[in-house]
Amino acid sequence: MRTVSDGPDLNPHNLINVALHHLDVLIALIPGFLIFGGLAWWLAPRRGWDRGPAALGGCALAAAWAVTLVRPFGVFAAGGLDPLTTLRLCTVGSWSLIHLYEQLNVAMLVPFAFFGTLATRRPLALVASSALVSAVAEYVQAATGGGQCQARDLVHNTLGGVIGALLAAFVLLMQARRSRELTVGAGAGSGSSR
């Protein structure tokens, strides 16, 4: 996610201002939704996933990458194609959740992990996928100079993946419990009518 680590924190007013000055991100959402959401919709029955949440998870992934990767290159130092040079540009950053941009980094992958877990029923796979998505985004930022590669962003994004996966696991648990209660209730009802 774009950060303002050396400047003032974001607030709702300047967040809207940033969004209005980066219409390229909003424009990138349309093909991103079609590609990632459509691919997830197509893959779902082939993988045994629930189609609706899979498509929403694909759209959430497109949104996360649009916010993270759609930006002018060369704003920051770029590592280019050499992985060692690129990784040397990565920094640790401050470990905090005080600032809005840090909170947004956590929130960024919550929808992806939530809908992905509902679709696949594999929370650990979605946490790992969230970490991988974040690592790729941080690497691309460092390679292109379109952002700062920071380990704290990887941790914040992955924490969002954990939160999303846990929320979805809870929803799945409640659905399973309700389904069991309905099955037991239906069985008890049919047994008493004999």
Side-chain angles (χ1 to χ4, degrees):
M1 169 153 219
R2 297 169 204 241
T3 61
V4 287
S5 54
D6 295 328
D9 188 22
L10 292 172
N11 62 49
H13 176 268
N14 63 15
L15 187 60
I16 292 168
N17 197 20
V18 166
L20 292 175
H21 283 89
H22 294 285
L23 294 177
D24 48 345
V25 173
L26 297 176
I27 292 167
L29 289 177
I30 296 167
F33 287 169
L34 292 173
I35 293 168
F36 286 96
L39 182 61
W41 178 268
W42 180 80
L43 276 175
R46 290 156 180 77
R47 299 283 184 171
W49 301 341
D50 190 352
R51 214 172 205 179
L56 289 172
C59 290
L61 177 60
W65 273 358
V67 167
T68 306
L69 299 177
V70 176
R71 61 183 72 199
F73 297 153
V75 174
F76 299 94
L81 297 176
D82 180 8
L84 293 177
T85 302
T86 298
L87 290 173
R88 275 191 222 116
L89 293 174
C90 293
T91 61
V92 174
S94 63
W95 304 99
S96 165
L97 290 174
I98 295 171
H99 298 101
L100 180 59
Y101 64 86
E102 295 161 342
Q103 296 163 10
L104 290 172
N105 265 312
V106 172
M108 186 172 72
L109 290 178
V110 170
F112 166 67
F114 178 78
F115 290 118
T117 300
L118 288 181
T120 65
R121 301 180 184 281
R122 298 172 127 187
L124 292 179
L126 265 295
V127 170
S129 296
S130 296
L132 181 62
V133 164
S134 180
V136 168
E138 292 303 314
Y139 182 82
V140 170
Q141 286 178 354
T144 62
Q148 293 177 307
C149 172
Q150 294 188 338
R152 68 118 184 251
D153 290 348
L154 175 65
V155 171
H156 288 155
N157 295 157
T158 304
L159 175 60
V162 169
I163 292 168
L166 285 174
L167 289 172
F170 178 75
V171 168
L172 291 170
L173 180 67
M174 292 297 104
Q175 287 176 342
R177 181 176 290 168
R178 185 164 186 244
S179 177
R180 268 195 313 272
E181 289 171 359
L182 290 174
T183 303
V184 169
S190 65
S192 64
S193 63
R194 291 183 181 176

